[in-house]
Amino acid sequence: MKQTRVFSWLFMMTLSFLLIIPSLTAFANAKVYHVPIEDNVEKGLLAFLERAFKEAEEQQAEAIVLEIHTPGGYTDAADKIGKLLDQSEMKVIAYINTKAHSAGAFIALHADKIYMSQNATMGAAGIIDGEGNTADEKAESAWFAAMQAAALSSNRDPKYALAMADKSKHFPQYRAPAGKFLTFTADEAVEVKYAEGIANTLEEVLQQAGIEDPDIIDLEPTLAENIARIITNPIVVPILLSIASLGLVLELYSPGFGVPGTMSLSAFGLFFFGHTIAGFAGYETIIMFVIGLILLILELFVPGGIVGIIGGALMIISLLFSGASVTHMAYSIIIAMFIAVMGMVIVMKFFGKKLHVFNKLVLKDATTTEEGYVSNTNRIELIGRMGEALTPLRPAGVIIVDKERIDAVSEGGYIDKGKSVEVIKVEGSRIVVREIYKKMEE
C-alpha cells in the first residue's frame, strides 16, 4: 500500500511538471506581432491593420509593434486607426524608425509606448486640403482637438501635440516659434516624455519594453491589401473611374466588343475589388451596379429611354456608396463624366466616328426617288396647259384640264368659276394656276 502511494505521488509530480513546461515555454516565448505602417495613411491601411489586430488578439499576443515610416495622410483614416489602437486590449508599441509626421504622429500618440530611432522625427501635423492649402477653420479646430485627445489618451502633455498641428504656438527651444509646426527629434521626444526611449532596432525596442525572448511574427500586407491601398487612394479613384467611363464611351463608337470595353470593365472591376477588400463596398453595391449595367445594355434594345435612365442612376448610386467618402466619390464621378464627354466630343469632331452600337436602333432605309419610291405624283407635264375653273379659287379650288378634274390653287388672287386658267407651277401635289383673260379656243 505504501509503495502504491509513493508511485502515485511520483506520477502526479511528473505529470504536473510536464504540464508546467508548455506554460513556461509559452511565457518565455511571448508572441509579438511586428506590423509596418508605411507610405501614406489612408483607409486601405486601416483594413490591413484591422486584420493584423484581429489575428494578434486571436493568437493572444502579448504586444503589437507598429513600425512607422510615414509622411502622413488622411485624417479620417488616421482617426479610425487611432480608435482601433484605443480599443485593443493588447500592449501597443509605436516604433518610429524614420518619421511619423502628421497622421503618422497622431497614430503614434495613441500607442501605449513610443520608441524612436536616433535619426527619427515626429510632428509636423498641420492639416491641409486635397489641393495642398491650409484647411478651413472648422476642420482645423476638429484636428487640434483630436491631436490633444490623442496625447491625453497615452498620458502625454497635450500642449506639444497641439503645437504639432497649430503653428501659432510658440516653442522656439524646439525650432518651432510662432508660424512653424513643432517637430521633435528622438532626443527631444524623450526629454518631454513623448517617447520612452531611443532604439535603433526592433530587438532594442522589445528589450526596453521589457519583453524578453519574444516570438516575433512579421505581418505584411497581402497582395490584395496592397492593391486595395493603391486603388482606394483618393487620387487614384477619379483616375480609375475616368478610364472606365472613357472606355465605355469609346466602346459605343466601336463595332462589336473590343479593347475599350475590356478596358472599361477591367477598371470598374478593379475599383470594386479594391473597395471590397478595404471594406468600403458591400455585395449589395456590386449587385446594384451590375443590375444598372444590365439595364443600360437593355436600353439598346428597348425604346423609350426610361430603362437606360434607371440603369445609369443605379450605377452612379452604387459608385457613390462604394467609396470611403460620398463627397469624394461625387467629385470623382463628376471628373470621370467630364472626361467621358470630352472623349466623345474628340472622337466625333476630329475622327468623325459614329455610334455603331446604335445602328440597329436607327432607321437607315429611305423611300427615295432613286430607290423607286415616290411620295406624291409629280405632275410636271401640266405646266403650261390650259384649263377652266370648275369652282371659285379662293385661292384653292378645282380646275379641269382635258376633262381631268385637278385640285389647284391660284397664284394669289381670287379666280371666279368658269374663268380660263393656265398651270404655271407644280410643287409636288401643289398645282399653281394663273387666270388668263383670253378665251380658250375650241
Side-chain angles (χ1 to χ4, degrees):
M1 179 68 73
K2 187 175 182 179
Q3 289 180 340
T4 303
R5 289 180 179 177
V6 171
F7 281 118
S8 297
W9 184 81
L10 290 174
F11 175 76
M12 293 299 295
M13 289 293 293
T14 303
L15 182 62
S16 299
F17 181 74
L18 292 174
L19 291 173
I20 290 172
I21 289 177
S23 300
L24 292 173
T25 303
F27 180 79
N29 296 293
K31 291 182 180 179
V32 173
Y33 273 70
H34 174 223
V35 181
I37 294 180
E38 299 175 336
D39 303 320
N40 288 330
V41 174
E42 29 68 33
K43 290 190 177 180
L45 173 65
L46 171 62
F48 164 58
L49 292 178
E50 286 176 338
R51 177 175 70 85
F53 273 79
K54 181 179 179 181
E55 183 176 327
E57 289 171 356
E58 289 175 350
Q59 295 298 319
Q60 297 181 345
E62 181 175 339
I64 186 165
V65 178
L66 304 177
E67 186 167 345
I68 302 176
H69 316 256
T70 176
Y74 295 90
T75 57
D76 54 349
D79 181 62
K80 292 187 177 182
I81 293 172
K83 291 179 180 177
L84 178 66
L85 271 61
D86 291 340
Q87 293 169 359
S88 176
E89 296 180 357
M90 292 181 300
K91 181 187 295 183
V92 180
I93 301 171
Y95 175 35
I96 304 174
N97 201 344
T98 54
K99 58 186 175 183
H101 295 170
S102 190
F106 177 81
I107 293 171
L109 289 173
H110 280 276
D112 299 310
K113 293 184 177 182
I114 298 176
Y115 294 92
M116 300 174 66
S117 65
Q118 185 63 60
N119 298 320
T121 56
M122 175 175 63
I127 183 173
I128 58 174
D129 60 22
E131 298 178 354
N133 302 315
T134 302
D136 58 49
E137 185 176 345
K138 182 178 179 181
E140 277 194 332
S141 177
W143 181 240
F144 295 163
M147 285 294 292
Q148 292 179 90
L152 289 170
S153 69
S154 52
N155 298 316
R156 296 182 174 91
D157 192 337
K159 68 181 181 183
Y160 298 115
L162 179 60
M164 291 178 179
D166 184 1
K167 60 183 178 182
S168 68
K169 302 304 176 182
H170 188 62
F171 288 96
Q173 68 272 32
Y174 299 119
R175 306 167 311 287
K180 298 287 185 180
F181 293 117
L182 175 63
T183 301
F184 282 139
T185 64
D187 292 325
E188 291 166 347
V190 172
E191 179 184 331
V192 299
K193 298 182 180 179
Y194 260 48
E196 275 64 39
I198 297 174
N200 293 313
T201 64
L202 177 61
E203 289 72 18
E204 289 182 20
V205 170
L206 297 175
Q207 185 178 4
Q208 292 188 40
I211 302 175
E212 300 294 337
D213 193 22
D215 180 12
I216 300 174
I217 300 173
D218 293 309
L219 202 62
E220 295 289 339
T222 63
L223 177 61
E225 287 169 338
N226 279 327
I227 293 174
R229 288 193 64 180
I230 296 171
I231 292 173
T232 56
N233 189 297
I235 297 174
V236 175
V237 169
I239 296 174
L240 200 61
L241 292 182
S242 297
I243 293 172
S245 301
L246 189 59
L248 184 60
V249 166
L250 293 177
E251 183 59 33
L252 297 178
Y253 291 89
S254 303
F257 185 83
V259 174
T262 303
M263 179 177 71
S264 178
L265 291 180
S266 298
F268 279 127
L270 278 173
F271 172 85
F272 280 105
F273 172 78
H275 285 74
T276 301
I277 294 296
F280 305 142
Y283 290 112
E284 68 281 357
T285 57
I286 298 175
I287 292 172
M288 185 184 297
F289 180 85
V290 172
I291 292 173
L293 184 60
I294 291 173
L295 291 177
L296 200 62
I297 294 173
L298 286 178
E299 176 60 29
L300 304 179
F301 307 99
V302 180
I306 299 299
V307 174
I309 292 173
I310 294 174
L314 287 177
M315 291 173 67
I316 292 174
I317 292 171
S318 68
L319 291 172
L320 279 174
F321 290 99
S322 295
S325 166
V326 173
T327 303
H328 181 264
M329 284 305 304
Y331 285 124
S332 299
I333 291 171
I334 291 171
I335 292 171
M337 292 177 68
F338 174 77
I339 291 177
V341 170
M342 291 299 296
M344 182 181 292
V345 171
I346 291 172
V347 169
M348 294 178 66
K349 184 75 174 177
F350 297 100
F351 296 96
K353 296 289 185 179
K354 296 182 179 180
L355 288 171
H356 289 280
V357 74
F358 294 133
N359 284 348
K360 294 183 179 180
L361 304 181
V362 178
L363 180 62
K364 291 186 174 182
D365 295 333
T367 54
T368 61
T369 303
E370 291 78 6
E371 296 290 335
Y373 296 97
V374 179
S375 59
N376 293 290
T377 303
N378 197 352
R379 302 293 303 277
I380 59 174
E381 75 278 3
L382 294 175
I383 296 176
R385 302 281 292 275
M386 303 295 183
E388 182 181 334
L390 289 181
T391 65
L393 277 69
R394 303 188 178 93
V398 179
I399 66 172
I400 184 169
V401 177
D402 293 337
K403 301 180 180 180
E404 181 183 358
R405 292 170 60 93
I406 300 173
D407 293 325
V409 295
S410 69
E411 186 180 20
Y414 171 80
I415 300 176
D416 199 3
K417 177 183 177 181
K419 296 294 184 179
S420 299
V421 294
E422 177 185 2
V423 178
I424 61 172
K425 188 185 300 183
V426 175
E427 297 173 339
S429 61
R430 184 171 180 268
I431 297 172
V432 183
V433 298
R434 176 189 300 161
E435 182 180 358
I436 58 176
Y437 297 97
K438 182 180 180 181
K439 290 187 177 180
M440 294 178 58
E441 296 180 358
E442 295 296 336

